[in-house]
Amino acid sequence: MTEPTEKPGPPTPADGPADDPACIPHPRAARPPSQPQARAIRLGPRSVAALVLVSATGVAGFVWPLFAGRGSQVSAHAQDAPWLFAGLLVLLVAVVAATISESGLGPKAVAMLGVLAATGAALRPIGAGTAGIEPMFFLMVLSGRVLGPGFGFVLGSVTMFASALLTGGVGPWMPFQMLAMGWFTMGAGLLPGPDRLRGRAELVMLAMYGFLAAFAYGTVMNLAGWPFMDALASNVAFDPHDTVPGNLTRFLAYCLATSLGWDLGRAVVTVVLTLTLGTTLLKALRRATRRAAFETAVTFDAPAA
């Protein structure tokens, strides 16, 4: 008499064959729900040092006339712009080079940088000269948000440089534009909640940032040329004999009288495009970043015995 044998039941994931599709977990199921978002470029020590240096030099280049001594011939230094152009351009190139070399920027990230910079440069001439309609700004906000502050600064600077070459806008103002656009795009990458905040709340936050940053960009660019415009009316022109608060009051009046409408148009266009196209573009950028797998080390598994 033989003992009854237990009939084999259906295989379970624990004891099933390795090649059974039911035993292989779905790739999305193995992904942690709060996986950090990939960053195309991370700022390392040398990149941070280069960025601080170029930012400090840029701030000094923007505001030094306000702190010049009374009676100083500020207008006599208007011809020094080419030297400042050369110095700032070298420092901006140093930031790009340090970021690329230190973060191990791969060909996929370089390609993405080139595509986004070319797209932004192509968008700028669409509304150039028409009430501040500049659609490139909303692209910079969304790109900086998805790809981080390091990528944002490099992308903003390179985009403005490419745009200047495309539109023939090369001049002593170009390094100031590159620096201001780098700050503009980098700021979007520094906004809170890059891995958790999604949906309408994120779009509203990006729209608010784009609105305020558009005015900040215009104000900074006004400061680059305002001290050297001697032909303006005396009540809004820079006065080297006046105090810093007095000149700041003149500068505010100058911005309100000359560039408020242009900056408002830029801000409104940025907000409208962010709210209408932001969801689609954010998804596309995040999908491209995940597929590019920036900074992911390539490993090879040993063949099965």
Side-chain angles (χ1 to χ4, degrees):
M1 184 175 181
T2 59
E3 295 181 359
T5 58
E6 183 180 357
K7 293 183 179 181
T12 61
D15 56 4
D19 57 351
D20 188 354
C23 304
I24 301 176
H26 195 276
R28 294 185 180 179
R31 183 183 301 168
S34 60
Q35 183 180 4
Q37 171 183 323
R39 296 297 189 205
I41 301 178
R42 290 185 300 183
L43 292 178
R46 286 181 297 174
S47 303
V48 171
L51 183 57
V52 169
L53 178 60
V54 69
S55 297
T57 304
V59 170
F62 278 116
V63 304
W64 74 266
L66 295 176
F67 299 96
R70 293 191 177 186
S72 60
Q73 298 295 324
V74 174
S75 59
H77 295 276
Q79 303 302 322
D80 297 342
W83 297 103
L84 185 59
F85 167 85
L88 281 177
L89 191 58
V90 169
L91 290 175
L92 287 171
V93 172
V95 172
V96 175
T99 305
I100 290 178
S101 63
E102 192 172 41
S103 61
L105 195 62
K108 293 180 180 179
V110 173
M112 195 168 189
L113 174 64
V115 169
L116 290 175
T119 304
L123 286 175
R124 191 183 181 200
I126 292 178
T130 309
I133 300 176
E134 295 177 287
M136 68 172 292
F137 281 81
F138 102 98
L139 177 63
M140 297 296 103
V141 171
L142 300 181
S143 300
R145 171 64 173 177
V146 173
L147 300 168
F151 193 102
F153 183 84
V154 176
L155 176 62
S157 300
V158 173
T159 301
M160 188 57 68
F161 181 79
S163 174
L165 296 179
L166 182 64
T167 60
V170 178
W173 55 84
M174 188 177 70
F176 292 102
Q177 290 179 327
M178 293 173 63
L179 186 63
M181 184 58 70
W183 287 338
F184 179 93
T185 314
M186 182 179 66
L190 295 174
L191 294 174
D195 304 315
R196 299 178 302 276
L197 188 61
R198 293 290 187 272
R200 194 67 181 177
E202 183 181 32
L203 286 183
V204 171
M205 180 185 67
L206 293 177
M208 292 176 60
Y209 171 80
F211 184 85
L212 297 176
F215 281 98
Y217 175 88
T219 302
V220 168
M221 289 308 304
N222 287 339
L223 190 59
W226 167 70
F228 307 104
M229 296 181 180
D230 297 332
L232 296 177
S234 59
N235 59 336
V236 295
F238 174 76
D239 184 3
H241 302 278
D242 204 350
T243 61
V244 173
N247 274 317
L248 288 178
T249 302
R250 293 169 181 267
F251 176 67
L252 178 61
Y254 167 80
C255 292
L256 294 176
T258 60
S259 66
L260 178 62
W262 187 280
D263 295 338
L264 181 60
R266 180 192 301 119
V268 171
V269 169
T270 302
V271 170
V272 171
L273 292 179
T274 300
L275 294 178
T276 54
L277 303 178
T279 301
T280 302
L281 189 54
L282 284 173
K283 289 180 179 178
L285 289 172
R286 284 172 174 141
R287 186 182 306 112
T289 303
R290 288 193 299 267
R291 291 184 176 181
F294 297 125
E295 299 176 349
T296 300
V298 179
T299 59
F300 298 93
D301 296 333

